[in-house]
Amino acid sequence: MSSSLLLSKKNSDVTENGTYKHTTSPIVTGTSVLALKYKDGVMMASDCLASYGSLARFRNVRRLQPIGTHTILGASGEISDFQFIQNQFEGLMLKEHVEDGQKLETSSIYRYLSNVMYGRRSKVDPLWNKYIVAGVEPSKNNNIFLGFVDLYGTTYQSSVMATGFGAHIALPIMRKYAEPRADSLTEEEASKILDDCMRVLYYRDARSFNKIQKAKVTAQGVEISEPYSLSTNWDFAESIIGYGS
Amino acid sequence: MSTEIQNAAKSHAGRWEPYVDNGGTSLAIAGPDFCIIASDTRQSEGYSINTRYDSKVHQITDKVLFATSGYSADGKKLAENIKIQAEKYLDKNDKIIQAPSIAQMTSIIMYQKRFFPYYVFPILAGLDGEGKGCVFSYDPVGNMERVGFQVYGSASALIQPFLDNQVGLKHQENVDKNRTLSKQEAFDLAIDSFTSATERDIYTGDYLEIYTVDSTGIHKEVRTLKFD
């Protein structure tokens, strides 16, 4: 049944000359996601904006999604592709729970997502995202996991990571203050580093937004904050001359 | 591979590029009864460093390693496929697959994707059935050659001529062509190659994983390279 459904859906993508319509550029997009490891787990931050080109189109979008009990998925890039993945995970987690009584842990979720991303790129029909998967694995002595996967299926793990503009602006800050002390960093310190990075990004990334969320995973489970705003200081703008002002 | 995928690849020629270069360098030197395999661990995309530690060397059996460079996602998938086949061989034949067989199989696995290749320059190295050091090198579509030493990746143009001279004894006069390298000499050459390459190639650096394969098994060592 499901295969015939899939087939009819596939066929709707075929054009008259027999070629396929695929995503060739993202439309509604989310900007940077930041994540770092600290003493008791892993922390992640992103803003709540979904842009339509340079238009701030949707300003209350949650881009940090809990998957299971000890994992969060942070998404940047095409929001519709992210929603597709959210849907896939909802089905997968339910299926695993009902059929096998299992709750997938972070590395399995990461492996699944990586294979989906690589599979789609291999069909030359990519899901236009960069994902960060973060979590703690209770069955592996509370191992702290932080992994990345993008639309090419490229994967890596690291104690600090950032997507999009954050890879240029926030990552050097996190490499300086968080990476060398990943296993001694307190929750407060980790939280401050992420806030500082998000503030710098808000100052410099024109696709960012001052409504952000932060999430953490510890052995106790997932905690995602409600959206909040950072304090900013625009006094320096007075001294800027040029650009029409 | 299904025609559906081939059509997709065809109809999008010149549109979205399904490949990226993640940089990195891999090297292997065969000795009479040993083999040295080394790879740096930096993974890059453009001018950004994704991570300073991402292994490019994959263990296939207790005598054979597989080192990649180029497009990281393809490299990992190719290594995974080879490992799956090696395991199948063990289940079917109750015998560990030997290096020359893995080498031929790798060539076939790669050629099966001739029209949508794995963008990887692999080096398969270890000990062959007689316990001799062996190195097999490939191009992305599965051309294979058994060689004495090989460097592939972003710093290959910097290191290969150095090894041609020091291991292949090329462009040297009055040299004993029958001279073979000792394990320690090969090991040191690998380290020197990478420390020098790191100075000039921005895609090579961070850490160096060096594996020594000999009759006692596989020994891994990790050294630091420059972090810049």
Side-chain angles (χ1 to χ4, degrees), chain A residues 114-222:
Chain A
S114 304
N115 279 322
V116 169
M117 295 300 278
Y118 181 79
R120 287 293 293 263
R121 97 90 217 186
S122 297
K123 287 184 183 170
V124 205
D125 186 13
L127 296 171
W128 215 286
N129 301 106
K130 294 187 177 192
Y131 289 111
I132 294 179
V133 180
V136 170
E137 304 185 286
S139 77
K140 288 180 190 160
N141 196 24
N142 289 325
N143 173 48
I144 302 169
F145 185 98
L146 185 52
F148 170 100
V149 59
D150 68 8
L151 66 162
Y152 296 102
T154 306
T155 55
Y156 60 85
Q157 293 170 44
S158 182
S159 56
V160 290
M161 55 181 62
T163 69
F165 213 56
H168 297 103
I169 281 191
L171 199 56
I173 301 172
M174 294 197 287
R175 287 211 174 127
K176 183 169 179 182
Y177 295 105
E179 196 170 30
R181 311 201 293 121
D183 32 81
S184 65
L185 216 61
T186 65
E187 190 185 318
E188 289 71 32
E189 287 173 314
S191 177
K192 185 174 182 309
I193 291 169
L194 282 183
D195 277 348
D196 287 346
C197 288
M198 290 305 284
R199 186 179 289 106
V200 178
L201 277 170
Y202 179 53
Y203 282 132
R204 283 296 173 182
D205 179 3
R207 303 290 164 263
S208 68
F209 196 51
N210 195 4
K211 182 172 177 182
I212 69 172
Q213 274 188 299
K214 223 162 28 195
K216 66 169 184 179
V217 192
T218 59
Q220 278 70 52
V222 178

Side-chain angles (χ1 to χ4, degrees), chain B residues 151-169:
Chain B
V151 193
Y152 271 141
S154 56
S156 62
L158 282 74
I159 303 176
Q160 187 73 45
F162 173 65
L163 293 190
D164 284 342
N165 180 250
Q166 292 295 309
V167 185
L169 305 173

Side-chain angles (χ1 to χ4, degrees), chain A residues 175 179, chain B residues 40-44 46-53 194-207 224-228:
Chain A
R175 287 211 174 127
E179 196 170 30
Chain B
D40 73 310
T41 65
R42 177 175 293 178
Q43 194 204 81
S44 326
Y47 288 130
S48 298
I49 295 172
N50 287 338
T51 179
R52 298 193 190 281
Y53 205 107
F194 274 93
T195 39
S196 295
T198 301
E199 295 287 329
R200 287 288 186 176
D201 177 24
I202 57 167
Y203 299 113
T204 299
D206 296 327
Y207 296 93
T224 54
L225 295 169
K226 271 170 76 160
F227 259 53
D228 55 359

